[in-house]
């Protein structure tokens, strides 16, 4: 079992989300998808925005690196109009469905965000993703506003922080071992698979 | 040709420095070693220290990630007493020798820093690395203090910044394409090799 922490406005979470199921299946590892929002985690560390874009040179590099990597994997990639996007409603939507429905809905949201460069905080865009994943947009919209779902997201952020998460994507193995970043996915799966076998 | 920008107090530069010659030789790519100091670059971006350690959770992860990766490569790894270390004199020492002598001296410095966990700004540690690489410590110490070597380091930082460098290790291909981080070394070499062949 591997826990996959992701934020819908995290660029490298997009890259990981679009391949983790295939990679994990190849290693015989189950994945638990857990959305969070990084804003409170970055704020606690004293960052006013994503640490990836504080230095404009680093921001330019990130977009270039993403374009290169997406192209190498045959994935569409388009910069959203604004970055970081507000991802709180998208995260709540993903928490409003079951564990088994979450990967499909999450991919549908990511595809509209970094795949098509659209604002996932726009209710129409989010509703479109929800419908594309086979859910009723009106029902999910209602659930997003419930105290239960709001509390689930707050708890998730707090739990992630407790597991040592400081950015996304983050992968946590059953023994607590943490791996950070799309480029550590293979290492995380190898760790999870070898510990499960032992 | 690949330009390899590194800082002696950059953890992931250590990982790259200890393997870049072998990896590059396998790809038929020549490497130009260029030391810099990241302090002025981080300061310009508004960071008071290495962005890797601003969030204590990220700092803890970095040390764990380095230990894992070093172990996987059969490399020694020991946290230095203080981080980031002052690397200005080490960088000047590396600039005080020729392009062909620089890789050997640089590895000798890195081995004492992150390999043995010693302070490379300690003149005795630096002198030991210089001697181990086959140079005269007294002569290098004298060169470190010259206006020529000091200016060479200032120019290097400015040139790196102009090439888009915001962290280290950074790899610049002949066409200007930038790759950042030890985990992008293979991508950088592939880019450099394929462009050279074209």
């Amino acid at each position: 079992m591997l826990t996959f922490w992701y934020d819908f406005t995290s660029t490298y979470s997009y890259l990981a989300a679009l391949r983790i199921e295939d990679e994990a299946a190849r290693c015989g590892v189950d994945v638990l998808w857990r959305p969070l929002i990084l804003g409170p985690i970055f704020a606690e560390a004293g960052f006013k925005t994503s640490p990836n874009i504080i230095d404009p040179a680093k921001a330019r590099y990130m977009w270039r690196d993403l374009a290169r990597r997406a192209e190498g994997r045959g994935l569409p990639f388009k910069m959203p109009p604004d970055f970081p996007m507000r991802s709180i409603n998208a995260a709540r939507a993903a928490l409003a469905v079951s564990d088994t429905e979450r990967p499909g809905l999450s991919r549908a949201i990511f595809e509209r965000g970094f795949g098509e460069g659209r604002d996932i905080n726009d209710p129409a865009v989010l509703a479109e993703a929800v419908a594309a994943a086979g859910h009723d947009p009106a029902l999910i919209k209602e659930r997003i506003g419930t105290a239960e779902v709001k509390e689930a997201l707050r708890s998730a952020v707090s739990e992630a922080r407790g597991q040592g998460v400081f950015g996304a994507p983050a992968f946590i193995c059953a023994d607590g071992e943490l791996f950070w970043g799309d480029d550590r996915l293979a290492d995380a799966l190898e760790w999870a698979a070898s510990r499960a076998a032992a």
Side-chain angles (χ1 to χ4, degrees), chain A residues 61-79:
Chain A
Y61 173 78
M62 180 181 70
W63 297 116
R64 175 68 186 141
D65 186 54
L66 284 160
R68 274 191 316 230
R69 294 182 89 72
E71 190 187 346
R73 296 180 192 173
L75 274 185
F77 179 77
K78 201 170 165 192
M79 275 179 65

Side-chain angles (χ1 to χ4, degrees), chain A residues 20-109:
Chain A
I20 192 168
E21 292 293 340
D22 288 347
E23 302 288 334
R26 200 172 304 151
C27 300
V29 172
D30 289 328
V31 178
L32 177 64
W33 290 55
R34 301 208 59 185
L36 53 63
I37 49 171
L38 290 170
I41 292 175
F42 290 159
E44 197 186 323
F47 296 120
K48 288 191 177 66
T49 183
S50 160
N52 283 343
I53 62 168
I54 292 171
D55 182 340
K58 185 169 185 177
R60 276 192 297 276
Y61 173 78
M62 180 181 70
W63 297 116
R64 175 68 186 141
D65 186 54
L66 284 160
R68 274 191 316 230
R69 294 182 89 72
E71 190 187 346
R73 296 180 192 173
L75 274 185
F77 179 77
K78 201 170 165 192
M79 275 179 65
D82 202 22
F83 180 86
M85 297 180 280
R86 270 180 69 81
S87 55
I88 189 166
N89 285 322
R92 286 176 178 160
L95 285 171
V97 300
S98 71
D99 287 355
T100 51
E101 294 166 329
R102 193 167 303 120
L105 174 55
S106 296
R107 278 190 299 268
I109 296 172

